[in-house]
């Protein structure tokens, strides 16, 4: 079976279902998207890895794993989303130490959070993308799903995104730039990284 490389398009959050986040993966050489429901902690960890400018004052669990792996010369080479059963994705982390390769089973959200920290590529098999991939012209059309299941999204749900697929930040638009910087620093200190990422986005828009 042939592998298809994926990139992370973004993370959206539900305004109607508490704790539901959608991680949207994008086919590198195509137009299909692979949306996966993940939990709040994993969404936060992935968002932190994507936001290079936000440094947590204490290591998150995936940061700790990265430090542990670095100490013992373990490298994550790639992540493969290898199975889809009853709407739930299963993934493998391909690791290497002393030129010996090991395969470790992992939840997809954990595997992707680690792939980002190791700058490792993310793949899935073509048959999984054929089965679960969608052409997501409107990223607000996503399904109600239990975030613990990490399942595929296939029916409508509103995720509070604007026309460009960005999380709504109306509350920050009325704030001055200095107030935004203060709020960003406070959010990082409080380890509220989802909030910090939104504030960082608003600052970047104004400073660009």
């Amino acid at each position: 079976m042939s592998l298809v490389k994926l990139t992370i398009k973004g993370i959206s959050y539900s305004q109607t279902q508490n704790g539901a986040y959608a991680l949207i993966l994008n086919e590198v050489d195509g137009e299909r998207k692979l949306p996966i429901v993940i939990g709040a902690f994993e969404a936060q960890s992935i968002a932190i890895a994507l936001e290079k400018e936000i440094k947590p004052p204490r290591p998150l669990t995936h940061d700790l794993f990265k430090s542990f792996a670095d100490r013992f010369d373990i490298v994550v080479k790639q992540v493969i989303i290898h199975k889809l059963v009853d709407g739930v994705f299963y993934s493998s982390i391909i690791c290497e130490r002393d030129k010996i390769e090991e395969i470790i089973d992992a939840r997809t959200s954990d595997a992707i959070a680690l792939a980002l920290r190791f700058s490792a590529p993310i793949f899935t098999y073509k048959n999984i993308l054929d089965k679960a991939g969608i052409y997501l012209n409107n990223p607000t059309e996503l399904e109600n799903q239990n975030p613990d299941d990490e399942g595929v999204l296939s029916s409508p749900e509103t995720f509070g995104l604007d026309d460009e697929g960005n999380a709504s930040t109306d509350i920050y638009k009325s704030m001055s730039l200095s107030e935004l910087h203060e709020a960003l620093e406070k959010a990082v200190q409080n380890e509220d990284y989802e909030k910090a990422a939104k504030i960082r986005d608003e600052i970047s828009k104004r400073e660009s």
Side-chain angles (χ1 to χ4, degrees):
M1 292 183 288
S2 60
L3 288 172
V4 178
K5 190 173 183 180
L6 303 170
T7 58
I8 297 176
K9 181 176 178 61
I11 301 173
S12 60
Y13 67 99
S14 174
Q15 293 181 331
T16 60
Q17 182 186 358
N18 290 333
Y21 288 79
L23 172 66
I24 302 175
L25 303 175
N26 194 74
E27 180 183 17
V28 170
D29 296 320
E31 298 297 324
R32 288 176 294 183
K33 311 293 187 293
L34 192 65
I36 302 172
V37 172
I38 62 177
F41 172 78
E42 292 77 16
Q44 180 185 76
S45 183
I46 291 169
I48 284 297
L50 291 170
E51 286 286 341
K52 304 298 184 183
E53 295 183 38
I54 298 177
K55 302 295 182 184
R58 297 180 298 167
L60 301 178
T61 301
H62 297 110
D63 297 321
L64 178 61
F65 184 98
K66 174 68 162 60
S67 298
F68 183 90
D70 289 344
R71 182 66 59 90
F72 293 96
D73 297 321
I74 300 168
V75 177
V76 171
K77 304 293 289 185
Q78 63 183 9
V79 162
I80 300 176
I81 303 171
H82 64 84
K83 186 167 64 173
L84 175 61
V85 178
D86 296 329
V88 179
F89 292 97
Y90 295 79
S91 294
S92 295
I93 301 172
I94 314 301
C95 303
E96 185 179 274
R97 181 172 184 265
D98 295 334
K99 297 183 179 181
I100 298 174
E101 190 173 274
E102 299 285 350
I103 301 176
I104 301 173
D105 286 334
R107 294 190 307 165
T108 298
S109 53
D110 289 327
I112 290 174
L114 290 174
L116 286 170
R117 285 162 170 80
F118 284 88
S119 299
I122 303 165
F123 296 95
T124 192
Y125 289 110
K126 183 178 181 298
N127 65 323
I128 292 177
L129 196 58
D130 289 341
K131 181 179 179 181
I134 59 176
Y135 291 94
L136 196 59
N137 294 322
N138 181 2
T140 64
E141 295 182 358
L142 299 172
E143 179 196 30
N144 219 358
Q145 180 100 12
N146 184 340
D148 293 331
D149 290 342
E150 296 191 348
V152 62
L153 303 166
S154 59
S155 60
E157 152 112 75
T158 300
F159 269 81
L161 301 179
D162 60 25
D163 293 338
E164 296 179 351
N166 300 314
S168 175
T169 56
D170 290 342
I171 189 173
Y172 304 121
K173 290 179 181 177
S174 61
M175 297 172 67
S176 68
L177 200 54
S178 61
E179 288 173 335
L180 287 170
H181 280 288
E182 280 183 28
L184 175 61
E185 184 176 348
K186 185 175 180 181
V188 172
Q189 289 302 317
N190 291 336
E191 301 184 24
D192 189 348
Y193 303 121
E194 294 154 36
K195 182 178 179 180
K198 294 168 195 171
I199 297 171
R200 179 69 257 176
D201 287 345
E202 181 63 26
I203 291 173
S204 297
K205 285 179 186 177
R206 296 195 194 184
E207 293 182 340
S208 61

